[in-house]
């Protein structure tokens, strides 16, 4: 079955927001071997007044429905249907924000209904009805607004034909992994050959397809300032637990003041900062003194290390307060990606804390590593690290087309050699361009899945 683009007309009409209707016309559905005479017009219609979606194909298909998070999305996969044009999307309203149609893998078209942050669906209440062999309707329940008394994350088992293959495994226990990015690996390895004097480890994971790039992802490196990423999340965990507040005052003690990055070291000892000011400086300007103040407030390195182990981090250890220019604090690309995977899937902190933490990470001031390789309009929440002989970066990337992926990379280099920075930029660009292809393929039945 093949969807070709004829007019690609989107008609968006409304009288009042509560009576909004979305019509998507002009896409044809046909079997690959059928003559032109057999072409039928596929019609998608979403009535937001009734939360009702209709769609037709020219052959019988079996839709598969699941609920994904961050943002919350109801996903309807159409196996055997190939989309012959770039993804199409249209904004709907403030709660059900948009609907898009895209190519998920080589033989599957995906319809996605995206909700605003703080809302979800009760998947058990989603009614998928076959009106005829080629006509389906989906009755969506009223979106549910998450509250402080509801779970911080959702464990959802689809009640209708799950789209995730039984052969897949989970990264960090939350992200289904499918296939290595085999088409990308030769390009990355060729780049590594040109920069053979560098030692690197990297891990990238497409959160929508489960495709991944893992080259030395479990290799242990000095963490440098990337250690501030899990420290930030630990702070927000304690905030959710009521152990700390954003407005409490922290005193800059002499034993916590250190050199390296940041401006707080130049202020008078004894000066007070709110916890919010301190964590913000810790991330945005990578302030080492601020980091030491937060480590101290959270109970010290030993307690944080215990917390990190409880998250499944195998290589992330704080051995000394910052600045740690010798690189005794350690982590790995997989560990940094694991933290981000757990955060964006609401496993470590509340929805509100997740959004606040990611917003702080989006305002870092160093953009020469992973951000330098991203395309226009991409957004990254990331934390870099640099101690001269080691640089690293870990982040959560959202592309303009809505695709999301995790990125983590470390490089040891000759001291302050700018070619290390250039290498990370080029790796970031290669991965971004690969994931930005019109019809990226995800091998959902890949035998290459591994448990992380």
């Amino acid at each position: 079955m093949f969807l070709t683009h004829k007019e690609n007309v989107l008609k968006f009409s409304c009288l009042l927001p509560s009576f909004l209707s979305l019509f998507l016309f002009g896409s044809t559905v046909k079997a690959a071997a059928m003559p032109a005479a057999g072409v039928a017009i596929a019609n998608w219609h979403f009535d937001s007044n009734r939360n009702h979606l209709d769609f037709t194909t020219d052959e019988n298909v079996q839709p598969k429905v699941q609920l994904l998070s961050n943002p919350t999305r109801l996903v309807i996969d159409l196996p055997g249907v190939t989309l012959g044009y770039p993804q199409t999307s249209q904004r709907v309203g403030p709660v059900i924000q948009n609907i898009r149609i895209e190519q998920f893998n080589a033989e599957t078209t995906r319809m996605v209904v995206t909700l605003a942050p703080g809302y979800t669906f009760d998947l058990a209440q989603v009614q998928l009805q076959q009106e005829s062999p080629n006509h389906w309707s989906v009755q969506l329940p009223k979106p549910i607004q998450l509250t402080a008394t509801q779970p911080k994350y959702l464990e959802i088992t689809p009640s209708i034909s799950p789209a995730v293959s039984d052969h897949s495994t989970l990264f960090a226990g939350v992200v289904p992994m499918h296939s290595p990015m085999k088409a990308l690996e030769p390009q990355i390895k060729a780049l590594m050959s040109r920069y053979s004097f560098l030692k690197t480890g990297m891990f990238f994971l497409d959160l929508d397809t489960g495709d991944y790039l893992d080259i030395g992802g479990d290799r242990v490196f000095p963490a440098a300032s990337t250690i501030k990423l899990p420290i930030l999340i630990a702070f927000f965990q304690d905030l959710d637990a009521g152990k700390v507040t954003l407005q409490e005052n922290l005193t800059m003690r002499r034993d916590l003041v250190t050199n390296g990055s940041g401006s707080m070291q130049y202020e008078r000892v004894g000066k007070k900062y709110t916890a919010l000011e301190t964590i913000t400086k810790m991330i945005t300007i990578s302030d080492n003194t601020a980091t030491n103040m937060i480590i101290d407030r959270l109970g010290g390195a030993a307690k944080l290390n215990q917390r990190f182990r409880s998250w499944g981090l195998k290589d992330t250890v704080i051995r000394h307060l910052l600045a740690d220019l010798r690189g005794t604090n350690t982590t790995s690309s997989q560990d940094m990606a694991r933290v981000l995977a757990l955060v964006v899937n609401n496993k470590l902190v509340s929805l509100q804390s997740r959004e606040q933490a990611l917003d702080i990470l989006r305002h870092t001031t160093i953009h020469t590593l992973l951000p330098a390789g991203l395309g226009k309009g991409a957004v990254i929440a990331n934390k870099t690290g640099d101690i001269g002989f080691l640089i690293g970066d870990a982040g959560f990337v959202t592309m303009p087309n809505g695709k999301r992926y995790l990125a983590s990379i470390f490089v040891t280099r000759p001291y302050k050699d700018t070619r290390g920075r250039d290498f990370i930029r080029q790796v970031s660009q290669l991965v971004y361009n690969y994931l930005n292809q019109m019809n990226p393929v995800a091998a959902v039945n890949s035998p290459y899945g591994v448990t992380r």
Side-chain angles (χ1 to χ4, degrees):
M1 204 175 303
F2 190 74
L3 295 180
T4 59
H5 178 57
K6 278 195 170 181
E7 297 180 33
N8 191 22
V9 177
L10 284 170
K11 296 184 179 180
F12 181 68
S13 60
C14 64
L15 297 177
L16 292 172
S18 61
F19 294 95
L20 185 65
S21 291
L22 172 65
F23 299 87
L24 295 93
F25 296 109
S27 300
T28 60
V29 187
K30 64 180 180 180
M34 289 180 62
V39 173
I41 299 296
N43 174 22
W44 295 267
H45 170 232
F46 180 72
D47 182 350
S48 66
N49 186 44
R50 297 189 300 128
N51 286 351
H52 191 84
L53 173 67
D54 280 287
F55 60 92
T56 60
T57 65
D58 72 334
E59 289 184 356
N60 189 9
V61 299
Q62 179 59 55
K64 300 179 180 180
V65 180
Q66 62 177 322
L67 192 65
L68 305 180
S69 60
N70 306 315
T72 302
R73 292 155 291 150
L74 183 76
V75 170
I76 305 166
D77 285 331
L78 307 178
V81 177
T82 302
L83 198 64
Y85 55 90
Q87 78 167 35
T88 300
S89 64
Q90 179 64 60
R91 181 169 177 79
V92 176
V95 177
I96 298 180
Q97 292 191 322
N98 63 70
I99 297 177
R100 72 175 186 269
I101 303 172
E102 63 186 9
Q103 192 68 47
F104 174 60
N105 62 39
E107 297 181 348
T108 303
T109 290
R110 170 168 283 188
M111 307 176 74
V112 183
V113 181
T114 303
L115 293 180
Y119 287 87
T120 189
F121 283 127
D122 179 355
L123 189 58
Q125 299 300 316
V126 175
Q127 299 176 21
L128 178 64
Q129 180 70 40
Q130 186 173 20
E131 307 291 348
S132 69
N134 64 345
H135 177 204
W136 292 83
S137 68
V138 183
Q139 181 60 57
L140 304 179
K142 183 178 179 180
I144 302 169
Q145 187 168 15
L146 297 173
T147 66
T149 59
Q150 289 176 296
K152 294 176 184 177
Y153 55 86
L154 301 174
E155 295 284 359
I156 298 171
T157 302
S159 59
I160 309 171
S161 302
V164 177
S165 165
D166 290 338
H167 298 289
S168 65
T169 55
L170 299 176
F171 177 72
V174 292
V175 182
M177 296 182 69
H178 296 312
S179 175
M181 299 178 187
K182 284 194 168 182
L184 178 62
E185 284 182 12
Q187 301 176 59
I188 298 295
K189 290 181 177 178
L191 184 65
M192 291 171 63
S193 295
R194 295 200 296 272
Y195 289 85
S196 59
F197 56 94
L198 303 175
K199 178 182 177 183
T200 186
M202 66 185 75
F203 186 81
F204 293 80
L205 176 61
D206 185 330
L207 292 173
D208 296 318
T209 68
D211 287 356
Y212 61 92
L213 175 71
D214 185 357
I215 301 178
D218 59 353
R219 187 173 293 159
V220 179
F221 287 90
S225 286
T226 65
I227 198 69
K228 297 164 186 177
L229 170 56
I231 292 173
L232 175 72
I233 303 309
F235 175 88
F236 276 103
Q237 254 193 353
D238 280 4
L239 178 67
D240 290 337
K243 296 178 180 179
V244 298
T245 69
L246 292 172
Q247 297 308 317
E248 67 177 86
N249 286 321
L250 304 180
T251 302
M252 190 175 72
R253 301 197 314 263
R254 186 177 301 278
D255 60 311
L256 301 176
V257 177
T258 187
N259 60 354
S261 59
S263 60
M264 292 173 68
Q265 60 184 302
Y266 304 113
E267 302 294 334
R268 62 175 178 80
V269 171
K271 184 172 180 178
K272 295 183 183 298
Y273 296 86
T274 66
L276 178 59
E277 289 176 316
T278 308
I279 60 172
T280 300
K281 289 179 181 291
M282 175 178 74
I283 298 298
T284 58
I285 62 172
S286 200
D287 198 295
N288 289 333
T289 298
T291 307
N292 291 343
M293 291 168 64
I294 296 298
I295 292 174
D296 180 74
R297 179 63 183 88
L298 298 181
K303 287 190 175 181
L304 281 170
N305 290 336
Q306 184 178 12
R307 184 102 57 105
F308 299 160
R309 287 192 296 272
S310 75
W311 299 347
L313 307 187
K314 300 176 182 178
D315 308 309
T316 304
V317 182
I318 303 173
R319 294 182 174 86
H320 291 94
L321 291 177
L322 279 291
D324 189 40
L325 298 177
R326 295 173 57 189
T328 63
N329 301 331
T330 57
T331 191
S332 64
S333 296
Q334 283 189 12
D335 268 11
M336 287 291 109
R338 180 180 292 268
V339 173
L340 290 165
L342 292 169
V343 169
V344 300
N345 282 281
N346 302 325
K347 297 296 184 179
L348 295 181
V349 296
S350 66
L351 179 64
Q352 181 177 356
S353 288
R354 182 198 78 190
E355 292 305 312
Q356 191 160 12
L358 290 176
D359 185 64
I360 292 173
L361 289 163
R362 292 185 188 107
H363 287 84
T364 54
T365 56
I366 298 173
H367 305 137
T368 55
L369 300 179
L370 286 173
L374 304 181
K376 183 178 180 181
V379 177
I380 183 170
N382 70 306
K383 185 67 196 79
T384 60
D386 183 350
I387 48 175
F389 68 91
L390 175 286
I391 52 176
D393 200 354
F396 166 52
V397 180
T398 304
M399 301 170 68
N401 63 8
K403 180 177 285 294
R404 308 159 311 131
Y405 65 94
L406 305 179
S408 182
I409 184 168
F410 289 89
V411 170
T412 56
R413 60 178 182 173
Y415 192 75
K416 292 190 175 181
D417 192 320
T418 59
R419 291 175 293 178
R421 179 192 64 198
D422 296 337
F423 173 78
I424 291 180
R425 174 184 56 78
Q426 291 178 64
V427 169
S428 178
Q429 186 174 38
L430 285 171
V431 174
Y432 183 90
N433 290 340
Y434 174 83
L435 295 175
N436 199 38
Q437 295 176 96
M438 182 179 299
N439 294 317
V441 175
V444 296
N445 294 316
S446 168
Y448 298 102
V450 291
T451 301
R452 302 290 180 182

